[in-house]
Amino acid sequence: MKAFMVERYGDQAGMRAADIPDPRVGADDVLVKIHAAGVNPLDLRIRNGDFKAFMPYRLPLVLGNDLAGTVVRVGPSVTRFAVGDEVYARPDKDRIGTFAELIAVHQDDLAPKPATLTMAEAASLPLVALTAWQALVERARVRPGQKVLIHAGAGGLGSIAVQLAKALGAHVATTVSTAKVDLAKDLGADVVVDYRSQDFEEVLDGYDVVLDSLGGENLAKSLRVLKPGGTAISVAGPPDPAFARELGANPILRLAMTALSFTARRNAKRHGVTYSFLFMKAGGDQLRELTTLIDTGKIRPVVDRVFPFEQTLQAMEYVEKGRAKAGKVVVAMT
C-alpha cells in the first residue's frame, strides 16, 4: 500500500511517500480502507520528535491520527463491525498511521461514521472531538449554566469544543482573530473576544473552566480568569505529574514532568484553581456519543481545505505555516 513515512525526526525533509506491506490484522482488529484523514498539529509535533521521550516510536513511522473509511476485513474476535461498514476513528497512540491506504484499528477505537457527514468531514473530527469530550465531559464535568472559556474557537479543536460546551448547556466565551468573529458566533459562542484588539483577561472573569490550546502566557492569564475552584485544562501546556503516572513514565521522566509543570501548578494554587494537562486517548464509545450530537446537528465539522492524498506533504506544510483560515485540513483519497 501507499503511505507517507517519517524516516527521521525533524522537518519535512524527514518524510517521504513509500510503498509498504499491508497492515497485519489481529484478532480484535478491523482493517479499514481509508477514504480521508485529518491533518493535526500533533502530526507535526510527532514528526519533529517533540514526544519521543515518552512516545518512543520506531522509525520509519507512518504518520496520521484521524481517519474515515470502509471496513474491508475483520479479525476473528471482532463483534462490533462487518465488512462494508463506514467508520471513523482516532487510532490508539501506539498504532497511528492514517496517512496510508489501509490501517488496522482495534475494534474498541472505532465508531460508525456519522450518517450526515461526508468521509472528509468525518475524518476531520475524531482527534479534536475526542479531545473536547475528554476535557469538557470526562475531566471538567461541565454542567448547564457554568461558564466555559475555549481558546482559539475557530481552530480545529476550538470550533468543536465551543459547540460541545453549548450542547452541554454552558455559557461559552472564546478567543479568535478579527476575521473569525462571525464564525465563532455562528458556532454558538456567547462571548467572542477579538484577541487582536482585546485582552481576554481584561474582559472575562469568574469562569468555571478554561480549555487552553496555546500554552505559555495564554495559560498563565487563563488561570486568572477562573473563579476559585475553577479548572484550567491545557493540551499545549506542560505535562504534569498526573499525566506522568497515567503514562507509566520512568522516575526520571516523572521528575522532569513535575519540574516542567511546577510554575503552572504553583500559579494555579495561588489563585485557588487547578491546572491539568490533557493528552487525549482513543475511544470508540466516546465517538459514538459524539456521533449522536453530530447527527442531530448539535456539532458540525469545520473543514478549511481538502487536499488529495498525493499532496499529504503539502497539506502538512499548509497547516505548519498557519494558512488554514478555520477548522481542519483533510487529505482524501481520489
Side-chain angles (χ1 to χ4, degrees), residues 37-47 51 63-67 89-91 98-99 123-129 131 155-157 280 315-316 319-320 327-331:
V39 182
N40 296 281
L42 176 62
D43 300 313
L44 301 170
R45 299 194 67 182
I46 292 173
R47 181 203 68 188
F51 300 125
L63 202 57
N65 286 273
D66 276 322
L67 73 96
R90 188 282 204 232
T98 63
F99 296 160
S124 75
L125 286 173
L127 187 143
V128 293
T131 302
L157 171 58
M280 62 79 60
M316 291 183 64
V319 171
E320 186 170 27
K328 289 285 293 292
V329 172
V330 174
V331 295

PDB file of all heavy atoms in Angstrom, residues 37-47 51 63-67 89-91 98-99 123-129 131 155-157 280 315-316 319-320 327-331:
ATOM      1  N   ALA A  37      -8.250  11.437   5.760  1.00  0.00           N
ATOM      2  CA  ALA A  37      -7.509  11.530   7.025  1.00  0.00           C
ATOM      3  C   ALA A  37      -7.338  12.995   7.396  1.00  0.00           C
ATOM      4  O   ALA A  37      -7.004  13.825   6.544  1.00  0.00           O
ATOM      5  CB  ALA A  37      -6.141  10.857   6.894  1.00  0.00           C
ATOM      6  N   GLY A  38      -7.550  13.304   8.670  1.00  0.00           N
ATOM      7  CA  GLY A  38      -7.353  14.668   9.138  1.00  0.00           C
ATOM      8  C   GLY A  38      -5.882  14.961   9.375  1.00  0.00           C
ATOM      9  O   GLY A  38      -5.095  14.064   9.695  1.00  0.00           O
ATOM     10  N   VAL A  39      -5.505  16.215   9.199  1.00  0.00           N
ATOM     11  CA  VAL A  39      -4.143  16.675   9.474  1.00  0.00           C
ATOM     12  C   VAL A  39      -4.191  17.521  10.740  1.00  0.00           C
ATOM     13  O   VAL A  39      -4.988  18.464  10.838  1.00  0.00           O
ATOM     14  CB  VAL A  39      -3.575  17.502   8.306  1.00  0.00           C
ATOM     15  CG1 VAL A  39      -2.145  17.936   8.595  1.00  0.00           C
ATOM     16  CG2 VAL A  39      -3.635  16.700   7.008  1.00  0.00           C
ATOM     17  N   ASN A  40      -3.356  17.173  11.718  1.00  0.00           N
ATOM     18  CA  ASN A  40      -3.373  17.832  13.019  1.00  0.00           C
ATOM     19  C   ASN A  40      -2.012  18.404  13.382  1.00  0.00           C
ATOM     20  O   ASN A  40      -0.980  17.862  12.953  1.00  0.00           O
ATOM     21  CB  ASN A  40      -3.761  16.822  14.102  1.00  0.00           C
ATOM     22  CG  ASN A  40      -5.164  16.290  13.928  1.00  0.00           C
ATOM     23  OD1 ASN A  40      -6.134  16.948  14.287  1.00  0.00           O
ATOM     24  ND2 ASN A  40      -5.286  15.087  13.383  1.00  0.00           N
ATOM     25  N   PRO A  41      -1.974  19.460  14.205  1.00  0.00           N
ATOM     26  CA  PRO A  41      -0.692  19.911  14.739  1.00  0.00           C
ATOM     27  C   PRO A  41       0.078  18.789  15.432  1.00  0.00           C
ATOM     28  O   PRO A  41       1.307  18.781  15.441  1.00  0.00           O
ATOM     29  CB  PRO A  41      -1.098  21.020  15.721  1.00  0.00           C
ATOM     30  CG  PRO A  41      -2.384  21.553  15.168  1.00  0.00           C
ATOM     31  CD  PRO A  41      -3.084  20.360  14.602  1.00  0.00           C
ATOM     32  N   LEU A  42      -0.650  17.819  16.002  1.00  0.00           N
ATOM     33  CA  LEU A  42       0.006  16.671  16.638  1.00  0.00           C
ATOM     34  C   LEU A  42       0.892  15.928  15.648  1.00  0.00           C
ATOM     35  O   LEU A  42       1.969  15.441  16.009  1.00  0.00           O
ATOM     36  CB  LEU A  42      -1.055  15.731  17.217  1.00  0.00           C
ATOM     37  CG  LEU A  42      -0.540  14.432  17.838  1.00  0.00           C
ATOM     38  CD1 LEU A  42       0.377  14.719  19.024  1.00  0.00           C
ATOM     39  CD2 LEU A  42      -1.703  13.543  18.261  1.00  0.00           C
ATOM     40  N   ASP A  43       0.449  15.824  14.388  1.00  0.00           N
ATOM     41  CA  ASP A  43       1.265  15.147  13.379  1.00  0.00           C
ATOM     42  C   ASP A  43       2.612  15.844  13.207  1.00  0.00           C
ATOM     43  O   ASP A  43       3.654  15.186  13.080  1.00  0.00           O
ATOM     44  CB  ASP A  43       0.527  15.116  12.034  1.00  0.00           C
ATOM     45  CG  ASP A  43      -0.792  14.379  12.110  1.00  0.00           C
ATOM     46  OD1 ASP A  43      -0.819  13.270  12.675  1.00  0.00           O
ATOM     47  OD2 ASP A  43      -1.798  14.925  11.623  1.00  0.00           O
ATOM     48  N   LEU A  44       2.581  17.164  13.215  1.00  0.00           N
ATOM     49  CA  LEU A  44       3.820  17.930  13.069  1.00  0.00           C
ATOM     50  C   LEU A  44       4.731  17.713  14.271  1.00  0.00           C
ATOM     51  O   LEU A  44       5.947  17.567  14.123  1.00  0.00           O
ATOM     52  CB  LEU A  44       3.490  19.414  12.912  1.00  0.00           C
ATOM     53  CG  LEU A  44       2.605  19.780  11.714  1.00  0.00           C
ATOM     54  CD1 LEU A  44       2.149  21.219  11.806  1.00  0.00           C
ATOM     55  CD2 LEU A  44       3.345  19.547  10.402  1.00  0.00           C
ATOM     56  N   ARG A  45       4.148  17.672  15.455  1.00  0.00           N
ATOM     57  CA  ARG A  45       4.959  17.505  16.669  1.00  0.00           C
ATOM     58  C   ARG A  45       5.573  16.106  16.738  1.00  0.00           C
ATOM     59  O   ARG A  45       6.715  15.941  17.176  1.00  0.00           O
ATOM     60  CB  ARG A  45       4.110  17.805  17.901  1.00  0.00           C
ATOM     61  CG  ARG A  45       3.580  19.245  17.930  1.00  0.00           C
ATOM     62  CD  ARG A  45       3.043  19.623  19.291  1.00  0.00           C
ATOM     63  NE  ARG A  45       4.115  19.693  20.284  1.00  0.00           N
ATOM     64  CZ  ARG A  45       3.925  19.957  21.565  1.00  0.00           C
ATOM     65  NH1 ARG A  45       2.696  20.147  22.018  1.00  0.00           N
ATOM     66  NH2 ARG A  45       4.929  20.011  22.402  1.00  0.00           N
ATOM     67  N   ILE A  46       4.815  15.107  16.307  1.00  0.00           N
ATOM     68  CA  ILE A  46       5.375  13.754  16.259  1.00  0.00           C
ATOM     69  C   ILE A  46       6.499  13.700  15.233  1.00  0.00           C
ATOM     70  O   ILE A  46       7.574  13.147  15.491  1.00  0.00           O
ATOM     71  CB  ILE A  46       4.279  12.724  15.942  1.00  0.00           C
ATOM     72  CG1 ILE A  46       3.297  12.623  17.114  1.00  0.00           C
ATOM     73  CG2 ILE A  46       4.902  11.356  15.646  1.00  0.00           C
ATOM     74  CD1 ILE A  46       2.089  11.751  16.823  1.00  0.00           C
ATOM     75  N   ARG A  47       6.255  14.275  14.050  1.00  0.00           N
ATOM     76  CA  ARG A  47       7.290  14.305  13.008  1.00  0.00           C
ATOM     77  C   ARG A  47       8.562  14.991  13.494  1.00  0.00           C
ATOM     78  O   ARG A  47       9.685  14.553  13.197  1.00  0.00           O
ATOM     79  CB  ARG A  47       6.752  15.055  11.776  1.00  0.00           C
ATOM     80  CG  ARG A  47       7.717  15.137  10.602  1.00  0.00           C
ATOM     81  CD  ARG A  47       7.384  16.305   9.701  1.00  0.00           C
ATOM     82  NE  ARG A  47       7.634  17.595  10.366  1.00  0.00           N
ATOM     83  CZ  ARG A  47       7.287  18.770   9.859  1.00  0.00           C
ATOM     84  NH1 ARG A  47       6.651  18.830   8.702  1.00  0.00           N
ATOM     85  NH2 ARG A  47       7.565  19.878  10.520  1.00  0.00           N
ATOM     86  N   PHE A  51       7.744  14.416  21.054  1.00  0.00           N
ATOM     87  CA  PHE A  51       7.243  13.487  22.067  1.00  0.00           C
ATOM     88  C   PHE A  51       8.083  12.216  22.185  1.00  0.00           C
ATOM     89  O   PHE A  51       7.659  11.253  22.829  1.00  0.00           O
ATOM     90  CB  PHE A  51       5.795  13.085  21.743  1.00  0.00           C
ATOM     91  CG  PHE A  51       4.837  14.233  21.703  1.00  0.00           C
ATOM     92  CD1 PHE A  51       4.061  14.466  20.576  1.00  0.00           C
ATOM     93  CD2 PHE A  51       4.707  15.095  22.781  1.00  0.00           C
ATOM     94  CE1 PHE A  51       3.166  15.517  20.530  1.00  0.00           C
ATOM     95  CE2 PHE A  51       3.816  16.153  22.749  1.00  0.00           C
ATOM     96  CZ  PHE A  51       3.037  16.370  21.622  1.00  0.00           C
ATOM     97  N   LEU A  63       2.678   8.264   9.509  1.00  0.00           N
ATOM     98  CA  LEU A  63       2.095   9.346  10.307  1.00  0.00           C
ATOM     99  C   LEU A  63       0.583   9.413  10.069  1.00  0.00           C
ATOM    100  O   LEU A  63       0.057   8.852   9.111  1.00  0.00           O
ATOM    101  CB  LEU A  63       2.766  10.666   9.915  1.00  0.00           C
ATOM    102  CG  LEU A  63       2.718  11.819  10.923  1.00  0.00           C
ATOM    103  CD1 LEU A  63       3.334  11.422  12.251  1.00  0.00           C
ATOM    104  CD2 LEU A  63       3.452  13.034  10.356  1.00  0.00           C
ATOM    105  N   GLY A  64      -0.104  10.137  10.942  1.00  0.00           N
ATOM    106  CA  GLY A  64      -1.534  10.377  10.769  1.00  0.00           C
ATOM    107  C   GLY A  64      -2.352   9.877  11.938  1.00  0.00           C
ATOM    108  O   GLY A  64      -2.148   8.747  12.405  1.00  0.00           O
ATOM    109  N   ASN A  65      -3.300  10.700  12.432  1.00  0.00           N
ATOM    110  CA  ASN A  65      -4.040  10.408  13.660  1.00  0.00           C
ATOM    111  C   ASN A  65      -5.556  10.454  13.536  1.00  0.00           C
ATOM    112  O   ASN A  65      -6.244  10.282  14.539  1.00  0.00           O
ATOM    113  CB  ASN A  65      -3.601  11.395  14.750  1.00  0.00           C
ATOM    114  CG  ASN A  65      -2.225  11.100  15.295  1.00  0.00           C
ATOM    115  OD1 ASN A  65      -2.065  10.320  16.215  1.00  0.00           O
ATOM    116  ND2 ASN A  65      -1.201  11.732  14.726  1.00  0.00           N
ATOM    117  N   ASP A  66      -6.094  10.691  12.353  1.00  0.00           N
ATOM    118  CA  ASP A  66      -7.546  10.743  12.139  1.00  0.00           C
ATOM    119  C   ASP A  66      -7.883   9.950  10.886  1.00  0.00           C
ATOM    120  O   ASP A  66      -7.134  10.002   9.901  1.00  0.00           O
ATOM    121  CB  ASP A  66      -8.012  12.179  11.860  1.00  0.00           C
ATOM    122  CG  ASP A  66      -8.264  13.000  13.111  1.00  0.00           C
ATOM    123  OD1 ASP A  66      -8.772  12.452  14.085  1.00  0.00           O
ATOM    124  OD2 ASP A  66      -7.968  14.204  13.065  1.00  0.00           O
ATOM    125  N   LEU A  67      -9.039   9.284  10.875  1.00  0.00           N
ATOM    126  CA  LEU A  67      -9.430   8.586   9.649  1.00  0.00           C
ATOM    127  C   LEU A  67     -10.934   8.454   9.536  1.00  0.00           C
ATOM    128  O   LEU A  67     -11.665   8.450  10.529  1.00  0.00           O
ATOM    129  CB  LEU A  67      -8.814   7.183   9.590  1.00  0.00           C
ATOM    130  CG  LEU A  67      -9.408   6.132  10.534  1.00  0.00           C
ATOM    131  CD1 LEU A  67     -10.471   5.275   9.824  1.00  0.00           C
ATOM    132  CD2 LEU A  67      -8.339   5.231  11.096  1.00  0.00           C
ATOM    133  N   ALA A  89     -12.347   7.114  13.203  1.00  0.00           N
ATOM    134  CA  ALA A  89     -11.588   6.813  14.419  1.00  0.00           C
ATOM    135  C   ALA A  89     -10.376   7.710  14.552  1.00  0.00           C
ATOM    136  O   ALA A  89      -9.882   8.275  13.582  1.00  0.00           O
ATOM    137  CB  ALA A  89     -11.117   5.348  14.417  1.00  0.00           C
ATOM    138  N   ARG A  90      -9.901   7.772  15.804  1.00  0.00           N
ATOM    139  CA  ARG A  90      -8.552   8.210  16.122  1.00  0.00           C
ATOM    140  C   ARG A  90      -7.876   6.945  16.660  1.00  0.00           C
ATOM    141  O   ARG A  90      -8.238   6.465  17.739  1.00  0.00           O
ATOM    142  CB  ARG A  90      -8.597   9.304  17.202  1.00  0.00           C
ATOM    143  CG  ARG A  90      -7.234   9.982  17.485  1.00  0.00           C
ATOM    144  CD  ARG A  90      -6.318   9.166  18.342  1.00  0.00           C
ATOM    145  NE  ARG A  90      -5.340  10.018  19.024  1.00  0.00           N
ATOM    146  CZ  ARG A  90      -4.030   9.818  19.011  1.00  0.00           C
ATOM    147  NH1 ARG A  90      -3.519   8.801  18.358  1.00  0.00           N
ATOM    148  NH2 ARG A  90      -3.236  10.625  19.673  1.00  0.00           N
ATOM    149  N   PRO A  91      -6.946   6.336  15.911  1.00  0.00           N
ATOM    150  CA  PRO A  91      -6.312   5.113  16.404  1.00  0.00           C
ATOM    151  C   PRO A  91      -5.562   5.365  17.713  1.00  0.00           C
ATOM    152  O   PRO A  91      -5.204   6.499  18.031  1.00  0.00           O
ATOM    153  CB  PRO A  91      -5.327   4.746  15.282  1.00  0.00           C
ATOM    154  CG  PRO A  91      -5.769   5.524  14.097  1.00  0.00           C
ATOM    155  CD  PRO A  91      -6.416   6.760  14.620  1.00  0.00           C
ATOM    156  N   THR A  98      -2.543   6.993   9.709  1.00  0.00           N
ATOM    157  CA  THR A  98      -3.690   7.191   8.824  1.00  0.00           C
ATOM    158  C   THR A  98      -3.338   7.848   7.495  1.00  0.00           C
ATOM    159  O   THR A  98      -4.203   7.955   6.631  1.00  0.00           O
ATOM    160  CB  THR A  98      -4.787   8.017   9.526  1.00  0.00           C
ATOM    161  OG1 THR A  98      -4.286   9.324   9.823  1.00  0.00           O
ATOM    162  CG2 THR A  98      -5.213   7.350  10.824  1.00  0.00           C
ATOM    163  N   PHE A  99      -2.084   8.272   7.323  1.00  0.00           N
ATOM    164  CA  PHE A  99      -1.669   8.781   6.019  1.00  0.00           C
ATOM    165  C   PHE A  99      -1.230   7.591   5.176  1.00  0.00           C
ATOM    166  O   PHE A  99      -0.071   7.428   4.800  1.00  0.00           O
ATOM    167  CB  PHE A  99      -0.527   9.791   6.157  1.00  0.00           C
ATOM    168  CG  PHE A  99      -0.892  11.054   6.901  1.00  0.00           C
ATOM    169  CD1 PHE A  99       0.090  11.854   7.468  1.00  0.00           C
ATOM    170  CD2 PHE A  99      -2.208  11.456   7.027  1.00  0.00           C
ATOM    171  CE1 PHE A  99      -0.226  13.016   8.155  1.00  0.00           C
ATOM    172  CE2 PHE A  99      -2.548  12.616   7.712  1.00  0.00           C
ATOM    173  CZ  PHE A  99      -1.558  13.392   8.281  1.00  0.00           C
ATOM    174  N   ALA A 123     -13.551  12.580   8.752  1.00  0.00           N
ATOM    175  CA  ALA A 123     -12.124  12.428   9.051  1.00  0.00           C
ATOM    176  C   ALA A 123     -11.559  13.623   9.797  1.00  0.00           C
ATOM    177  O   ALA A 123     -10.524  13.517  10.458  1.00  0.00           O
ATOM    178  CB  ALA A 123     -11.341  12.204   7.760  1.00  0.00           C
ATOM    179  N   SER A 124     -12.226  14.752   9.712  1.00  0.00           N
ATOM    180  CA  SER A 124     -11.733  15.963  10.387  1.00  0.00           C
ATOM    181  C   SER A 124     -11.995  15.933  11.889  1.00  0.00           C
ATOM    182  O   SER A 124     -11.440  16.746  12.628  1.00  0.00           O
ATOM    183  CB  SER A 124     -12.392  17.206   9.784  1.00  0.00           C
ATOM    184  OG  SER A 124     -13.743  17.342  10.222  1.00  0.00           O
ATOM    185  N   LEU A 125     -12.810  14.992  12.358  1.00  0.00           N
ATOM    186  CA  LEU A 125     -13.348  15.103  13.710  1.00  0.00           C
ATOM    187  C   LEU A 125     -12.703  14.279  14.823  1.00  0.00           C
ATOM    188  O   LEU A 125     -12.610  14.777  15.950  1.00  0.00           O
ATOM    189  CB  LEU A 125     -14.848  14.771  13.681  1.00  0.00           C
ATOM    190  CG  LEU A 125     -15.754  15.847  13.087  1.00  0.00           C
ATOM    191  CD1 LEU A 125     -17.179  15.322  12.963  1.00  0.00           C
ATOM    192  CD2 LEU A 125     -15.733  17.097  13.956  1.00  0.00           C
ATOM    193  N   PRO A 126     -12.323  13.016  14.609  1.00  0.00           N
ATOM    194  CA  PRO A 126     -12.051  12.162  15.777  1.00  0.00           C
ATOM    195  C   PRO A 126     -11.098  12.735  16.815  1.00  0.00           C
ATOM    196  O   PRO A 126     -11.430  12.765  18.012  1.00  0.00           O
ATOM    197  CB  PRO A 126     -11.504  10.881  15.141  1.00  0.00           C
ATOM    198  CG  PRO A 126     -12.191  10.825  13.818  1.00  0.00           C
ATOM    199  CD  PRO A 126     -12.242  12.251  13.358  1.00  0.00           C
ATOM    200  N   LEU A 127      -9.923  13.174  16.427  1.00  0.00           N
ATOM    201  CA  LEU A 127      -8.951  13.629  17.428  1.00  0.00           C
ATOM    202  C   LEU A 127      -9.459  14.856  18.178  1.00  0.00           C
ATOM    203  O   LEU A 127      -9.414  14.903  19.408  1.00  0.00           O
ATOM    204  CB  LEU A 127      -7.603  13.921  16.774  1.00  0.00           C
ATOM    205  CG  LEU A 127      -6.475  14.250  17.755  1.00  0.00           C
ATOM    206  CD1 LEU A 127      -5.147  13.649  17.282  1.00  0.00           C
ATOM    207  CD2 LEU A 127      -6.304  15.745  17.946  1.00  0.00           C
ATOM    208  N   VAL A 128      -9.955  15.850  17.462  1.00  0.00           N
ATOM    209  CA  VAL A 128     -10.384  17.078  18.143  1.00  0.00           C
ATOM    210  C   VAL A 128     -11.679  16.865  18.915  1.00  0.00           C
ATOM    211  O   VAL A 128     -11.874  17.432  20.000  1.00  0.00           O
ATOM    212  CB  VAL A 128     -10.515  18.260  17.155  1.00  0.00           C
ATOM    213  CG1 VAL A 128      -9.155  18.647  16.607  1.00  0.00           C
ATOM    214  CG2 VAL A 128     -11.487  17.956  16.017  1.00  0.00           C
ATOM    215  N   ALA A 129     -12.581  16.050  18.384  1.00  0.00           N
ATOM    216  CA  ALA A 129     -13.842  15.810  19.088  1.00  0.00           C
ATOM    217  C   ALA A 129     -13.603  15.012  20.360  1.00  0.00           C
ATOM    218  O   ALA A 129     -14.205  15.298  21.408  1.00  0.00           O
ATOM    219  CB  ALA A 129     -14.823  15.084  18.171  1.00  0.00           C
ATOM    220  N   THR A 131     -10.804  14.992  22.056  1.00  0.00           N
ATOM    221  CA  THR A 131     -10.107  15.899  22.971  1.00  0.00           C
ATOM    222  C   THR A 131     -11.104  16.795  23.691  1.00  0.00           C
ATOM    223  O   THR A 131     -11.043  16.971  24.920  1.00  0.00           O
ATOM    224  CB  THR A 131      -9.086  16.757  22.215  1.00  0.00           C
ATOM    225  OG1 THR A 131      -8.147  15.908  21.538  1.00  0.00           O
ATOM    226  CG2 THR A 131      -8.320  17.672  23.165  1.00  0.00           C
ATOM    227  N   GLY A 155     -10.427  27.343  15.533  1.00  0.00           N
ATOM    228  CA  GLY A 155      -9.467  26.335  15.112  1.00  0.00           C
ATOM    229  C   GLY A 155     -10.065  24.945  15.101  1.00  0.00           C
ATOM    230  O   GLY A 155     -11.257  24.741  15.365  1.00  0.00           O
ATOM    231  N   GLY A 156      -9.227  23.946  14.802  1.00  0.00           N
ATOM    232  CA  GLY A 156      -9.720  22.585  14.713  1.00  0.00           C
ATOM    233  C   GLY A 156     -10.345  22.108  16.003  1.00  0.00           C
ATOM    234  O   GLY A 156     -11.492  21.619  16.022  1.00  0.00           O
ATOM    235  N   LEU A 157      -9.628  22.234  17.118  1.00  0.00           N
ATOM    236  CA  LEU A 157     -10.163  21.841  18.420  1.00  0.00           C
ATOM    237  C   LEU A 157     -11.207  22.833  18.914  1.00  0.00           C
ATOM    238  O   LEU A 157     -12.294  22.444  19.352  1.00  0.00           O
ATOM    239  CB  LEU A 157      -9.027  21.716  19.434  1.00  0.00           C
ATOM    240  CG  LEU A 157      -9.432  21.524  20.900  1.00  0.00           C
ATOM    241  CD1 LEU A 157     -10.287  20.281  21.071  1.00  0.00           C
ATOM    242  CD2 LEU A 157      -8.194  21.478  21.792  1.00  0.00           C
ATOM    243  N   MET A 280      -5.078  13.390  24.817  1.00  0.00           N
ATOM    244  CA  MET A 280      -6.288  12.610  24.585  1.00  0.00           C
ATOM    245  C   MET A 280      -5.991  11.148  24.248  1.00  0.00           C
ATOM    246  O   MET A 280      -4.903  10.790  23.813  1.00  0.00           O
ATOM    247  CB  MET A 280      -7.132  13.251  23.486  1.00  0.00           C
ATOM    248  CG  MET A 280      -6.484  13.352  22.124  1.00  0.00           C
ATOM    249  SD  MET A 280      -6.470  11.837  21.152  1.00  0.00           S
ATOM    250  CE  MET A 280      -8.199  11.525  21.021  1.00  0.00           C
ATOM    251  N   ALA A 315      -0.176  19.367   2.389  1.00  0.00           N
ATOM    252  CA  ALA A 315      -1.207  19.629   3.391  1.00  0.00           C
ATOM    253  C   ALA A 315      -0.581  19.891   4.755  1.00  0.00           C
ATOM    254  O   ALA A 315      -1.007  20.781   5.494  1.00  0.00           O
ATOM    255  CB  ALA A 315      -2.171  18.442   3.464  1.00  0.00           C
ATOM    256  N   MET A 316       0.454  19.121   5.103  1.00  0.00           N
ATOM    257  CA  MET A 316       1.140  19.336   6.372  1.00  0.00           C
ATOM    258  C   MET A 316       1.838  20.689   6.396  1.00  0.00           C
ATOM    259  O   MET A 316       1.822  21.394   7.405  1.00  0.00           O
ATOM    260  CB  MET A 316       2.138  18.212   6.614  1.00  0.00           C
ATOM    261  CG  MET A 316       1.477  16.868   6.887  1.00  0.00           C
ATOM    262  SD  MET A 316       2.686  15.589   7.253  1.00  0.00           S
ATOM    263  CE  MET A 316       3.396  16.226   8.777  1.00  0.00           C
ATOM    264  N   VAL A 319      -0.690  23.414   7.062  1.00  0.00           N
ATOM    265  CA  VAL A 319      -1.025  23.513   8.486  1.00  0.00           C
ATOM    266  C   VAL A 319       0.130  24.141   9.257  1.00  0.00           C
ATOM    267  O   VAL A 319      -0.064  25.023  10.105  1.00  0.00           O
ATOM    268  CB  VAL A 319      -1.371  22.125   9.056  1.00  0.00           C
ATOM    269  CG1 VAL A 319      -1.507  22.178  10.577  1.00  0.00           C
ATOM    270  CG2 VAL A 319      -2.655  21.593   8.428  1.00  0.00           C
ATOM    271  N   GLU A 320       1.350  23.693   8.973  1.00  0.00           N
ATOM    272  CA  GLU A 320       2.517  24.167   9.709  1.00  0.00           C
ATOM    273  C   GLU A 320       2.719  25.669   9.565  1.00  0.00           C
ATOM    274  O   GLU A 320       3.125  26.347  10.524  1.00  0.00           O
ATOM    275  CB  GLU A 320       3.757  23.422   9.229  1.00  0.00           C
ATOM    276  CG  GLU A 320       5.014  23.730  10.023  1.00  0.00           C
ATOM    277  CD  GLU A 320       6.153  22.803   9.675  1.00  0.00           C
ATOM    278  OE1 GLU A 320       6.191  22.281   8.532  1.00  0.00           O
ATOM    279  OE2 GLU A 320       7.023  22.594  10.531  1.00  0.00           O
ATOM    280  N   GLY A 327     -10.921  25.819  11.296  1.00  0.00           N
ATOM    281  CA  GLY A 327     -11.205  24.395  11.298  1.00  0.00           C
ATOM    282  C   GLY A 327     -10.030  23.534  10.878  1.00  0.00           C
ATOM    283  O   GLY A 327      -8.857  23.889  11.067  1.00  0.00           O
ATOM    284  N   LYS A 328     -10.337  22.389  10.272  1.00  0.00           N
ATOM    285  CA  LYS A 328      -9.358  21.352   9.992  1.00  0.00           C
ATOM    286  C   LYS A 328      -8.995  21.259   8.517  1.00  0.00           C
ATOM    287  O   LYS A 328      -9.753  21.625   7.638  1.00  0.00           O
ATOM    288  CB  LYS A 328      -9.909  19.988  10.441  1.00  0.00           C
ATOM    289  CG  LYS A 328      -9.985  19.789  11.931  1.00  0.00           C
ATOM    290  CD  LYS A 328      -8.622  19.546  12.555  1.00  0.00           C
ATOM    291  CE  LYS A 328      -8.008  18.222  12.114  1.00  0.00           C
ATOM    292  NZ  LYS A 328      -8.731  17.039  12.645  1.00  0.00           N
ATOM    293  N   VAL A 329      -7.815  20.706   8.295  1.00  0.00           N
ATOM    294  CA  VAL A 329      -7.345  20.363   6.957  1.00  0.00           C
ATOM    295  C   VAL A 329      -7.395  18.842   6.833  1.00  0.00           C
ATOM    296  O   VAL A 329      -7.086  18.116   7.787  1.00  0.00           O
ATOM    297  CB  VAL A 329      -5.899  20.872   6.742  1.00  0.00           C
ATOM    298  CG1 VAL A 329      -5.328  20.353   5.426  1.00  0.00           C
ATOM    299  CG2 VAL A 329      -5.890  22.397   6.776  1.00  0.00           C
ATOM    300  N   VAL A 330      -7.805  18.370   5.666  1.00  0.00           N
ATOM    301  CA  VAL A 330      -8.020  16.935   5.441  1.00  0.00           C
ATOM    302  C   VAL A 330      -7.310  16.531   4.154  1.00  0.00           C
ATOM    303  O   VAL A 330      -7.220  17.312   3.207  1.00  0.00           O
ATOM    304  CB  VAL A 330      -9.532  16.628   5.343  1.00  0.00           C
ATOM    305  CG1 VAL A 330      -9.788  15.173   4.966  1.00  0.00           C
ATOM    306  CG2 VAL A 330     -10.222  16.966   6.661  1.00  0.00           C
ATOM    307  N   VAL A 331      -6.802  15.275   4.135  1.00  0.00           N
ATOM    308  CA  VAL A 331      -6.351  14.687   2.874  1.00  0.00           C
ATOM    309  C   VAL A 331      -7.315  13.573   2.514  1.00  0.00           C
ATOM    310  O   VAL A 331      -7.796  12.842   3.389  1.00  0.00           O
ATOM    311  CB  VAL A 331      -4.902  14.145   2.949  1.00  0.00           C
ATOM    312  CG1 VAL A 331      -3.929  15.284   3.170  1.00  0.00           C
ATOM    313  CG2 VAL A 331      -4.745  13.102   4.043  1.00  0.00           C
TER     314      VAL A 331
END
